[in-house]
Amino acid sequence: MAVPEALTAIPGIRTAAQLREPGDGDVLTVLPELAGLLPGGGLRRGSTVAVRGARSLVLALLAAATRNGSWAAVTGLPDLGLAAAAELGVDLERVALVPDPGAELVAVLSALVDGFDLVVLGPASVPPQTARRLTDRVRNRGTVLLKAGAWPGADLELKVSGRRWHGLTPDGHGHLRTRDVVATSRGRGAAARPSSVGLQLPGPEGAVAGAGLPGRRLAEVAG
């Protein structure tokens, strides 16, 4: 399938033939707070990553890469909050949006995998056989596919749990300011052993921040 001219006309977008073959050390950088979740401390080209429990973590994984010159595409998330993405550190000038691909999801996703460094797919369900073909395409093109939700045979799965908001006073007044979560990764090979980090997602001013693993303190509200 040819890459649409609308994609290749964007400065910095490359076709499949122009992308490098992924190597073991070929990773896209992530924020320092997230590096401990990922083998090699970054997103390995040619890999599929399923993120469950927090769409904000999906967006946070784009932040460092887009700021360092990589291009990302997001599809299947028509209600994506661009302001929240910017607060998480995403360079919106390097993000292309296909909010609702409709019946052409597979064709759109294939084209995006051919032309972008990172591709985010929303919660749409993809049949296992189709997912396997797309996984092969991701691997061959050296793209990173980030799936908001489950993905059959994902190389790495990230799961967010232990959500707890801070900011309310004991009498229930005030504003929610930060949310503590525990992010856990499990995958294949070097990622077979689970790894967990504590995060504030969002942290102060909406950005990602490090946080200790539980012990909790002060006024909190679960959810």
Side-chain angles (χ1 to χ4, degrees):
M1 177 179 177
V3 180
E5 292 183 6
L7 295 181
T8 56
I10 302 174
I13 300 303
R14 301 180 300 284
T15 64
Q18 296 169 314
L19 287 171
R20 296 177 294 168
E21 288 295 319
D24 291 338
D26 193 1
V27 297
L28 300 176
T29 55
V30 297
L31 297 172
E33 295 84 358
L34 305 179
L37 288 170
L38 305 168
L43 293 164
R44 181 173 55 84
R45 285 187 177 273
S47 65
T48 53
V49 181
V51 184
R52 304 176 68 177
R55 185 182 300 178
S56 53
L57 180 56
V58 180
L59 297 177
L61 289 167
L62 302 179
T66 55
R67 292 205 310 254
N68 289 338
S70 295
W71 283 83
V74 180
T75 187
L77 285 174
D79 58 345
L80 175 66
L82 294 179
E87 288 180 342
L88 288 165
V90 179
D91 182 353
L92 298 181
E93 295 294 325
R94 289 188 169 270
V95 177
L97 303 177
V98 185
D100 186 4
E104 300 299 319
L105 171 63
V106 174
V108 169
L109 191 57
S110 297
L112 295 177
V113 166
D114 284 355
F116 287 81
D117 299 297
L118 305 106
V119 176
V120 173
L121 173 62
S125 178
V126 177
Q129 185 174 0
T130 302
R132 285 194 293 271
R133 292 199 303 269
L134 288 168
T135 295
D136 289 341
R137 195 181 194 101
V138 166
R139 186 175 296 114
N140 291 335
R141 301 305 193 248
T143 306
V144 176
L145 175 64
L146 301 171
K147 174 64 167 67
W151 182 262
D155 296 300
L156 187 69
E157 181 175 288
L158 306 181
K159 184 177 180 181
V160 172
S161 60
R163 304 171 188 84
R164 193 168 293 269
W165 284 95
H166 295 264
L168 295 183
T169 60
D171 60 1
H173 292 83
H175 298 282
L176 297 174
R177 295 195 301 267
T178 63
R179 182 180 65 171
D180 284 353
V181 302
V182 177
T184 302
S185 65
R186 181 192 291 268
R188 302 176 179 179
R193 184 176 180 179
S195 176
S196 295
V197 299
L199 299 170
Q200 287 188 334
L201 188 66
E205 308 301 327
V208 181
L213 294 172
R216 310 293 188 184
R217 61 188 183 279
L218 298 180
E220 304 166 340
V221 59

